[in-house]
Amino acid sequence: MTAPVLKVNALCKSFGGVRAIRDLTFEVRAGEILGLIGPNGSGKSTTVNSLAGIFPITSGSLQLDGVQVDGMPEHSRVAGGLARTFQTASIFAEFTVREQILLGSNVTRTSHPLTSVFSIGRKVDEEAALEKRVAHILEITGLTDVEHKRVATISSAQQRFLMIATALASDPKVVLLDEPAAGLVSHERKTLSQLIKSIRDLGVSVLVIEHHMALIMDVCDRIVVLNFGQKIAEGTPEEIRNNPVVIDAYLGEVA
């Protein structure tokens, strides 16, 4: 068993008198793909937004690579190694594909802005490493052939893969993929499955929230199941597939 890179402990999130998440505890281990599933309204999106820092949590704690992050703003969590995508495409239409990926890399820059004027210090080495990383991200996301096209002109599937590429550009420890298969057809979902596995092969842990059970069962090492804001099951895909509580919560969909 590998060490956890993201630890969620007794997470609670309330909106007024409504408890959207109740005492949720789980961990994402290093080099792991963890699925988060549940019926509509089960609390998946609230969980992701709480992890990312969009929603302040009501109680509980979040640790990223041993650092307490539940009080940090969203940008600090990104800088600390927590990246995410969104259910709807988040793009800069007038940018090129390459420019948007480079934008995602800004949190990784360590050289002082003045070095960009004189090309001194760490700037040259940093730019060379960045160019290499961007080229690799373009390759694994299948976007090399469109890297110089404006984002508005590429396909909707490519825009989804671009969101993942932008998240990877921040050099994360964990990537939260929120409904990455939304709007994708069958062959595109197969490409997505391979991409998610490639992210794990990079040494980046993945938390994927998804409705497509075939994709979840294919890519995930473990799965956490939510219902009415509470964890009702956790285990391997095979264990989840045959869990009667999960089958009942999904009205037979998982089986």
Side-chain angles (χ1 to χ4, degrees):
M1 184 181 297
T2 56
V5 64
L6 179 65
K7 293 183 69 174
V8 180
N9 183 47
L11 173 64
C12 294
K13 176 59 184 175
S14 297
F15 297 95
V18 178
R19 297 183 67 189
I21 302 294
R22 311 179 194 185
D23 298 317
L24 177 59
T25 297
F26 67 89
E27 60 187 34
V28 183
R29 300 166 186 164
E32 172 181 58
I33 302 172
L34 180 72
L36 184 65
I37 65 174
N40 288 332
S42 62
K44 301 186 301 297
S45 292
T46 300
T47 299
V48 172
N49 286 326
S50 297
L51 297 181
I54 294 176
F55 295 159
I57 65 174
T58 303
S59 62
S61 66
L62 306 172
Q63 287 188 358
L64 176 62
D65 204 21
V67 177
Q68 199 88 3
V69 298
D70 41 83
M72 290 184 181
E74 185 178 4
H75 65 87
S76 296
R77 299 185 198 200
V78 174
L82 184 65
R84 70 163 298 180
T85 65
F86 296 85
Q87 291 184 21
T88 55
S90 178
I91 59 173
F92 294 89
E94 296 303 315
F95 280 33
T96 66
V97 168
R98 183 181 182 81
E99 287 170 343
Q100 174 153 336
I101 295 174
L102 285 169
L103 182 66
S105 72
N106 280 341
V107 298
T108 69
R109 295 177 181 268
T110 59
S111 58
H112 191 278
L114 286 177
T115 64
S116 64
V117 178
F118 302 106
S119 294
I120 59 175
R122 292 190 298 265
K123 180 73 164 67
V124 174
D125 290 342
E126 187 176 89
E127 290 298 325
L130 178 59
E131 288 292 327
K132 184 176 180 180
R133 186 163 79 247
V134 169
H136 188 46
I137 290 171
L138 285 164
E139 180 183 358
I140 67 172
T141 54
L143 297 173
T144 302
D145 291 343
V146 296
E147 65 174 302
H148 298 300
K149 290 189 175 182
R150 285 194 305 113
V151 173
T153 67
I154 64 176
S155 71
S156 58
Q158 288 171 326
Q159 288 177 358
R160 287 221 157 260
F161 295 145
L162 176 58
M163 282 202 301
I164 298 174
T166 306
L168 290 176
S170 68
D171 198 18
K173 299 178 177 73
V174 183
V175 174
L176 312 179
L177 301 181
D178 193 0
E179 303 285 358
L184 300 184
V185 298
S186 179
H187 75 273
E188 292 166 343
R189 290 196 296 272
K190 291 180 181 178
T191 301
L192 174 63
S193 292
Q194 291 304 313
L195 172 56
I196 294 172
K197 293 173 183 177
S198 295
I199 295 172
R200 176 183 58 193
D201 293 342
L202 292 174
V204 179
S205 300
V206 182
L207 176 62
V208 56
I209 298 86
E210 187 52 68
H211 284 295
H212 288 279
M213 288 300 99
L215 185 146
I216 284 287
M217 294 295 171
D218 176 48
V219 304
C220 291
D221 300 301
R222 292 185 304 118
I223 299 170
V224 171
V225 188
L226 298 183
N227 199 22
F228 297 112
Q230 293 181 296
K231 182 171 73 174
I232 61 171
E234 180 176 351
T236 66
E238 187 66 20
E239 290 168 342
I240 295 301
R241 191 192 310 273
N242 295 301
N243 187 310
V245 176
V246 175
I247 294 171
D248 182 62
Y250 269 101
L251 302 178
E253 289 181 27
V254 173

